[in-house]
Amino acid sequence: VRAASGGMNPELKTTIDELVNANRVVVFMKGTRQFPQCGFSNTVVQILNQMESPYETVNILADDRLRSGMKEYSQWPTFPQVYINGEFFGGCDIMIEAFKSGELKEQLEVALNA
Amino acid sequence: TRAMSITAKAVEEKLAQSLEAQSLDVTDTSGGCGAAFEVSIVSSQFEGKSLIQRHRLVRELEQVNEALKVEMASIHALSIKKCWTPAQAAAAA
């Protein structure tokens, strides 16, 4: 779901499109997978580690343009933001809920076998 | 301060009306200052929706609800723990 609306810089949108399409799982987060700088971002990293899923992380603290751009692109106000197979999947609450229910496992299997 | 802090009960009432929730649990996790809530909802309105669509539905309700809007600005964290359909709730029971 590409929800990016009017005000967004087309180059930035292209960059984000490429990021979410080139990787099956991408986490836009505060900090890096080795050094998360917020508890919510850390939770998401821990869940993906436990699932033994391959994933890329993007540190939105390192780029203010990307930080505000992602909010608009996803139409979601907070971080982390997880993309699976090019689709916005959710933030920390959704990752926890989906992890507990088994839906995340399903989604990752679909994405990684696609 | 004059600003009345929002209560878990107020959040619960608004969500219950809007979502026709079968079951709803709002917990104040802020220690009473009304700045952080955890929400669990069972509603048939979640049928056929992905998790992100369910969470968006709940968040949109917060935004459009005039009674909550002003106070919602002062809520630091509304954490949605569960958005279940009645069938999911029954399976988990």
Side-chain angles (χ1 to χ4, degrees):
Chain A
V1 181
R2 294 288 159 272
S5 54
M8 194 170 193
N9 175 328
E11 278 171 42
L12 181 60
K13 184 185 178 300
T14 305
T15 306
I16 300 171
D17 278 339
E18 283 168 6
L19 272 172
V20 301
N21 288 315
N23 303 284
R24 294 297 164 85
V25 182
V26 191
V27 186
F28 296 87
M29 60 179 282
K30 297 184 177 178
T32 62
R33 64 193 288 169
Q34 290 82 13
F35 187 42
Q37 288 178 256
C38 136
F40 300 106
S41 289
N42 182 50
T43 298
V44 166
V45 163
Q46 296 307 322
I47 288 174
L48 288 170
N49 287 345
Q50 183 151 349
M51 301 299 294
E52 298 180 346
S53 166
Y55 64 99
E56 290 298 322
T57 63
V58 179
N59 183 4
I60 51 98
L61 293 178
D63 186 341
D64 266 349
R65 257 176 83 245
L66 182 66
R67 183 179 185 163
S68 54
M70 280 312 299
K71 292 186 186 183
E72 193 179 329
Y73 186 89
S74 307
Q75 299 286 299
W76 194 252
T78 56
F79 292 97
Q81 296 180 1
V82 181
Y83 277 77
I84 301 178
N85 242 5
E87 295 269 346
F88 180 44
F89 185 71
C92 185
D93 283 345
I94 287 178
M95 287 294 280
I96 293 171
E97 191 182 347
F99 176 63
K100 286 184 181 162
S101 72
E103 190 176 336
L104 181 62
K105 188 167 184 284
E106 250 171 62
Q107 289 286 330
L108 289 173
E109 277 169 6
V110 170
L112 299 173
N113 292 322
Chain B
T1 144
R2 283 171 55 240
M4 190 182 66
S5 74
I6 193 158
T7 63
K9 196 170 179 346
V11 176
E12 199 166 308
E13 278 170 5
K14 295 301 170 192
L15 291 176
Q17 286 167 14
S18 320
L19 284 167
E20 295 161 0
Q22 188 182 81
S23 143
L24 180 60
D25 183 39
V26 179
T27 310
D28 188 332
T29 53
S30 69
C33 79
F37 298 97
E38 279 184 10
V39 184
S40 297
I41 307 166
V42 177
S43 166
S44 55
Q45 292 189 19
F46 295 142
E47 307 275 5
K49 291 191 170 64
S50 70
L51 280 176
I52 188 71
Q53 288 169 332
R54 295 176 192 191
H55 282 229
R56 281 206 161 112
L57 184 63
V58 176
R59 290 188 178 272
E60 275 161 20
L61 288 175
E62 295 162 25
Q63 297 305 317
V64 297
N65 194 293
E66 285 299 325
L68 288 179
K69 210 165 170 179
V70 179
E71 299 299 343
M72 276 295 172
S74 67
I75 293 183
H76 303 155
L78 187 130
S79 182
I80 303 166
K81 293 293 166 195
K82 268 182 211 163
C83 290
W84 281 1
T85 63
Q88 282 177 304

